[in-house]
């Protein structure tokens, strides 16, 4: 049965076995004591019957009354010793020889136990003589002759009652112990196992680490040891993840530096540097790109140290930021027939890290341009900002008219090193990095649609406190 495969079920079975065993061990002494009480009762009845005879003249009664007194006493003969004189008071024919004699005055408990076992093992037809001490100092000795038939029958009935009572006690005790074990032992162990399973579902979540709370010393120690092990495992996993991501961090540096330096290369075009005004403007932009490259390096070093993504939040005008990205991507010249359409409110201001969101926008807009260039398509890249998203967030939408993303790439779009442009130099890091940055701001980067007519990405960016009122 399934119940006996559980700890509480096996405890229930052992409880039943041990309680029944204990009751069986108690049974023989109980039956022996019952035999002694049964014989003592017969002796007292016989004494009362003999006293009835003493109250008659000449100690004589008729045969019918004598037979009735013997029947009520449950014996065949009654003799009483008084004043050193033994006298037979009541008698009846004895159907056979007396086989054994018992002296109830001097027997020990073990002897009574052995006598009781012998009675149970016989057929109950033995004729025995029993000696006892009269009650109330009515004489020195009383002895009776009796047949063991009624005694043996009564002993078996009493034994059955004891066994039935034992079964009831065993069942009740087992049920109570079963409930106690479930409450005090199995319950805490089940909670411990449940905590282990819950932790196994997400080993990196510190909120799932078990907290020692049991009052039982052994269970508390088990919980404490498990807590230590789980925390060590979390730290080991973090170290492993940090080391495995170190390569990704290095690639991240290369990706962002390459993107930044490509913008710096555009700004350093010698064909326009002979104009003083344009030279100053581009020199300022070039310095800004170099500063961004330095911050990229600092953020990656912090990431490698386990500090996570560091954000320097400020109120950033989205129009100016996106115009800068468009210019850095070289889209203002509309080379190759690709134009940009901006639909951004002048007062749209986001509470973000400017350098990080620049990376996100540059990546998405750059991907849109490359998708159209590689497909040989002309058209428009639509960049818009609206407040139609979740409360407290701007929605930045970037839509191109490229060929769309291959179906096989959609499920892996935000996984590192999964690029549909690997043949063209894509690293597959841009979108995963962008998604991580947006999530660090409390927003979300999603692919809304993609197909032969183009692709649309949306970015949720937090508004400033002034705009959220």
């Amino acid at each position: 049965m399934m119940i006996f495969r559980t700890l509480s079920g096996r405890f229930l079975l052992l409880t039943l076995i041990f309680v029944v065993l204990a009751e069986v061990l108690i049974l023989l002494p109980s039956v022996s004591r019952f035999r002694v009480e049964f014989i003592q009762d017969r002796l007292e009845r016989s004494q009362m019957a003999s006293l009835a005879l003493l109250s008659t003249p000449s100690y004589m009664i008729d045969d019918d009354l004598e037979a009735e007194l013997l029947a009520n006493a449950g014996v065949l003969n009654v003799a009483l010793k008084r004043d050193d004189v033994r006298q037979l008071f009541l008698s009846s024919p004895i159907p056979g020889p007396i086989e054994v004699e018992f002296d109830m005055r001097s027997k020990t408990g073990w002897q009574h136990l052995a006598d009781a076992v012998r009675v149970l093992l016989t057929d109950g037809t033995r004729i025995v003589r029993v000696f006892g001490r009269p009650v109330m100092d009515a004489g020195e000795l009383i002895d009776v002759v009796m047949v063991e038939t009624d005694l043996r029958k009564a002993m078996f009935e009493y034994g059955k009652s004891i066994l039935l009572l034992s079964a009831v006690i065993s069942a009740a005790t087992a049920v109570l112990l079963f409930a106690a074990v479930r409450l005090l032992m199995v319950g805490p162990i089940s909670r411990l196992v449940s905590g282990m399973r819950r932790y196994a579902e997400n080993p990196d979540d510190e909120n799932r680490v078990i907290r020692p709370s049991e009052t039982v010393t052994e269970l508390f120690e088990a919980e404490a040891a498990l807590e230590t092990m789980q925390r060590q495992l979390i730290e080991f996993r973090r170290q492993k993840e940090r080391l495995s991501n170190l390569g990704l961090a290095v690639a991240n540096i290369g990706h962002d530096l390459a993107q930044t330096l490509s913008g710096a290369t555009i700004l350093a075009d010698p064909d326009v540097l002979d104009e003083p005004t344009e030279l100053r403007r581009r020199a300022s932009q070039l310095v800004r790109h170099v500063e961004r490259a330095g911050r990229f390096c600092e953020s990656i070093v912090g990431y490698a140290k386990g500090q996570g993504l560091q954000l320097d939040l400020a109120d950033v005008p989205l129009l100016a930021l996106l115009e800068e990205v468009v210019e850095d991507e070289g889209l203002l010249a509309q080379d190759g027939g690709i134009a940009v359409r901006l639909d951004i409110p002048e007062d749209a201001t986001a509470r973000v890290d400017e350098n990080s969101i620049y990376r996100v926008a540059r990546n998405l807009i750059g991907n849109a341009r490359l998708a159209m260039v590689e497909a040989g398509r002309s058209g428009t890249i639509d960049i818009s900002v609206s407040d139609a998203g979740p409360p407290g967030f701007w929605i930045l939408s970037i839509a191109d008219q490229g060929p769309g993303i291959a179906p096989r790439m959609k499920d892996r779009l935000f996984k590192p090193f999964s690029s549909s442009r690997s043949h063209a130099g894509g690293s597959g890091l841009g979108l995963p990095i962008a998604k991580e940055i947006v999530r660090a701001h409390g927003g979300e980067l999603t692919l809304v649609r993609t197909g032969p007519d183009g692709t649309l990405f949306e970015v949720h960016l937090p508004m400033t406190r002034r705009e959220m009122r």
Side-chain angles (χ1 to χ4, degrees):
M1 296 176 63
M2 290 297 295
I3 187 174
F4 295 126
R5 297 182 62 182
T6 64
L7 179 63
S8 54
R10 292 181 179 182
F11 192 85
L12 173 64
L13 179 61
L14 288 175
T15 301
L16 287 172
I17 293 174
F18 290 146
V19 171
V20 169
L21 180 60
E23 292 297 331
V24 169
L25 293 177
I26 295 173
L27 174 64
L28 290 178
S30 299
V31 172
S32 174
R33 185 178 65 253
F34 175 80
R35 172 183 169 275
V36 172
E37 293 175 354
F38 183 93
I39 293 177
Q40 192 66 40
D41 179 68
R42 290 294 186 270
L43 292 173
E44 292 178 5
R45 291 186 185 184
S46 299
Q47 181 179 341
M48 295 299 294
S50 64
L51 292 178
L53 182 61
L54 291 174
S55 64
T56 62
S58 305
Y59 305 149
M60 298 294 292
I61 58 173
D62 61 50
D63 294 340
D64 292 338
L65 180 57
E66 183 178 17
E68 184 177 353
L69 290 173
L70 289 172
N72 288 335
V75 297
L76 299 176
N77 285 344
V78 178
L80 187 63
K81 184 178 181 182
R82 296 162 55 91
D83 301 326
D84 295 327
V85 177
R86 181 179 180 276
Q87 183 178 0
L88 181 64
F89 280 85
L90 299 172
S91 65
S92 64
I94 299 176
I98 297 174
E99 301 179 37
V100 65
E101 294 181 352
F102 299 111
D103 191 344
M104 305 302 293
R105 300 170 298 172
S106 58
K107 293 236 176 183
T108 64
W110 288 107
Q111 290 172 327
H112 285 307
L113 182 62
D115 291 340
V117 173
R118 292 190 188 97
V119 173
L120 294 174
L121 295 179
T122 63
D123 57 2
T125 59
R126 292 190 308 176
I127 299 174
V128 298
R129 171 170 284 171
V130 181
F131 299 95
R133 190 180 304 279
V135 297
M136 304 296 293
D137 296 326
E140 301 167 9
L141 175 69
I142 183 171
D143 70 86
V144 299
V145 177
M146 58 184 288
V147 181
E148 288 184 331
T149 303
D150 291 340
L151 172 61
R152 185 173 183 272
K153 180 179 179 181
M155 289 172 64
F156 269 107
E157 291 296 328
Y158 179 78
K160 291 178 182 179
S161 300
I162 290 293
L163 289 177
L164 179 60
L165 179 61
S166 299
V168 173
I169 293 175
S170 299
T173 303
V175 170
L176 292 176
L177 287 175
F178 178 80
V181 169
R182 293 286 301 178
L183 177 65
L184 300 177
M185 294 181 62
V186 177
I189 293 175
S190 298
R191 289 193 293 272
L192 182 63
V193 173
S194 177
M196 295 171 65
R197 289 176 176 169
R198 181 172 176 269
Y199 171 77
E201 293 174 356
N202 187 0
D204 296 322
D205 187 358
E206 288 195 18
N207 292 325
R208 295 173 182 258
V209 174
I210 193 168
R211 267 70 172 179
S213 59
E214 291 296 333
T215 56
V216 180
T217 302
E218 291 80 2
L219 292 176
F220 181 87
E221 292 175 351
E223 288 182 333
L226 180 61
E227 179 190 27
T228 301
M229 183 181 67
Q230 289 176 339
R231 294 194 182 279
Q232 289 176 346
L233 181 59
I234 289 176
E235 183 60 29
F236 290 154
R237 287 176 61 87
R238 286 177 178 174
Q239 292 178 2
K240 180 180 177 181
E241 183 179 4
R242 194 175 299 125
L243 290 174
S244 64
N245 288 337
L246 190 57
L248 177 62
V250 174
N252 193 344
I253 293 175
H255 177 274
D256 287 334
L257 284 179
Q259 194 176 55
T260 303
L261 294 177
S262 67
T265 301
I266 296 173
L267 293 173
D269 186 355
D271 294 336
V272 297
L273 293 181
D274 54 349
E275 300 179 16
T277 303
E278 184 65 17
L279 178 61
R280 285 193 298 271
R281 188 179 69 83
R282 294 211 172 188
S284 176
Q285 291 179 330
L286 185 60
V287 170
R288 196 161 57 248
H289 275 264
V290 173
E291 290 176 346
R292 281 202 178 98
R295 287 195 292 271
F296 292 158
C297 294
E298 291 176 359
S299 64
I300 297 304
V301 170
Y303 180 83
K305 291 180 178 179
Q307 298 174 356
L309 189 63
Q310 303 297 309
L311 300 179
D312 184 12
L313 300 180
D315 294 344
V316 178
L318 294 179
L319 178 60
L321 178 64
L322 294 170
E323 285 179 341
E324 181 181 355
V325 174
V326 170
E327 181 179 1
D328 292 344
E329 277 293 323
L331 289 171
L332 294 181
Q334 297 188 16
D335 293 335
I338 299 176
V340 173
R341 182 162 50 224
L342 296 173
D343 183 13
I344 304 169
E346 292 184 359
D347 59 348
T349 306
R351 185 69 178 175
V352 295
D353 179 273
E354 181 178 4
N355 186 56
S356 298
I357 298 304
Y358 173 90
R359 296 164 66 185
V360 174
R362 180 79 185 270
N363 184 274
L364 294 174
I365 295 172
N367 285 349
R369 179 180 65 82
L370 287 173
M372 296 175 66
V373 169
E374 291 178 359
R377 293 189 179 187
S378 59
T380 304
I381 298 176
D382 289 303
I383 305 172
S384 64
V385 173
S386 71
D387 59 357
F393 285 89
W394 294 109
I395 294 183
L396 167 61
S397 302
I398 300 174
D400 62 47
Q401 295 178 351
I405 299 171
R408 63 181 178 83
M409 293 299 303
K410 288 176 63 175
D411 294 337
R412 297 185 293 143
L413 194 61
F414 295 104
K415 294 182 179 180
F417 307 110
S418 299
S419 174
S420 61
R421 300 187 294 104
S422 57
H423 63 281
S427 66
L429 290 170
L431 287 177
I433 295 171
K435 191 174 186 69
E436 183 179 355
I437 289 173
V438 175
R439 281 186 173 177
H441 285 81
E444 191 62 50
L445 167 60
T446 56
L447 172 64
V448 178
R449 59 173 173 81
T450 186
D453 297 331
T455 299
L456 170 62
F457 283 94
E458 285 187 354
V459 182
H460 293 183
L461 299 175
M463 297 178 176
T464 62
R465 293 187 178 88
R466 175 178 56 82
E467 291 167 329
M468 288 190 290
R469 294 173 183 171

